[in-house]
Amino acid sequence: TRPCGAAGASARSEEAMLITDASCSGFGAILILACSQVSVVGGSWRTLQQPGSINELEAATVFMALSVLRKKKIARRIRVLTIVIDNTSVRDTMVRGSSRSEIMNQFIVATIEILKSLGCRVIVRYIPTDLNPSDAISRGAIPEWTAWTQELATWLDERHGVAETGFRTLTLY
């Protein structure tokens, strides 16, 4: 893999993984590019921006993380984006494109608009909470990278490309 933005790299050469999480106290997201560049964003909720349910918080986190990603130059290079979420309701709502919750619908519609603007293939996957490195960030801590890296890599390798319950593909063209 060439370094991010390397000379001679094709205009849309990157694969990326966005791992998100929300808790009642905050949100966290990790963007991992194929070139091994890692970006982390997280923080606590402000009263005015905190939706009601955990599902709404999770949907808000995906939207906010993608809003940050869209502003980065590297976003134009991403051709495949895997969004990894530990909330099956949000995962399934992203694939369906709608929810019974009006607030979730607002976040999902806005999220899908951002994904369309990126023009990349999107894969939405589930991750167990205990393997989600963004979980610690959403609670105000920094994850112990070495502790979860091997477990996460093994878990993803076991499921890579396999159409199981936890694997959903969302194609936006």
Side-chain angles (χ1 to χ4, degrees), residues 101-146:
S101 161
E102 185 177 326
I103 293 172
M104 265 186 73
N105 275 334
Q106 291 172 2
F107 284 118
I108 295 301
V109 167
T111 295
I112 290 172
E113 288 305 311
I114 291 173
L115 292 170
K116 285 180 181 178
S117 76
L118 292 175
C120 59
R121 178 172 178 241
V122 177
I123 299 167
V124 182
R125 296 187 68 185
Y126 170 78
I127 185 171
T129 299
D130 60 340
L131 291 178
N132 188 342
S134 294
D135 185 76
I137 297 166
S138 75
R139 298 173 199 290
I142 303 294
E144 177 124 2
W145 300 106
T146 55

Side-chain angles (χ1 to χ4, degrees), residues 18-164:
L18 179 64
I19 308 168
T20 65
D21 188 58
S23 67
C24 291
S25 55
F27 60 93
I30 301 171
L31 175 68
I32 305 170
L33 299 174
C35 64
S36 301
Q37 179 179 325
V38 177
S39 299
V40 177
V41 64
S44 59
W45 296 110
R46 294 185 193 135
T47 305
L48 293 175
Q49 74 183 149
Q50 182 176 357
S53 73
I54 191 64
N55 293 341
E56 292 165 357
L57 292 172
E58 295 274 4
T61 299
V62 174
F63 168 73
M64 290 188 311
L66 286 169
S67 296
V68 171
L69 171 62
R70 178 174 55 180
K71 295 175 185 173
K72 293 182 170 284
K73 287 182 182 179
I74 196 70
R76 293 185 301 252
R77 299 181 58 82
I78 296 173
R79 87 182 145 73
V80 179
L81 175 64
T82 301
I83 299 173
V84 183
I85 308 168
D86 66 1
N87 182 297
T88 56
S89 179
V90 174
R91 179 206 58 198
D92 294 346
T93 299
M94 287 184 68
V95 172
R96 272 193 321 269
S98 67
S99 167
R100 283 180 255 165
S101 161
E102 185 177 326
I103 293 172
M104 265 186 73
N105 275 334
Q106 291 172 2
F107 284 118
I108 295 301
V109 167
T111 295
I112 290 172
E113 288 305 311
I114 291 173
L115 292 170
K116 285 180 181 178
S117 76
L118 292 175
C120 59
R121 178 172 178 241
V122 177
I123 299 167
V124 182
R125 296 187 68 185
Y126 170 78
I127 185 171
T129 299
D130 60 340
L131 291 178
N132 188 342
S134 294
D135 185 76
I137 297 166
S138 75
R139 298 173 199 290
I142 303 294
E144 177 124 2
W145 300 106
T146 55
W148 65 262
T149 303
Q150 187 56 48
E151 281 183 72
L152 178 61
T154 301
W155 185 85
L156 289 171
D157 284 345
E158 288 172 356
R159 288 155 180 83
H160 182 70
V162 179
E164 295 180 351

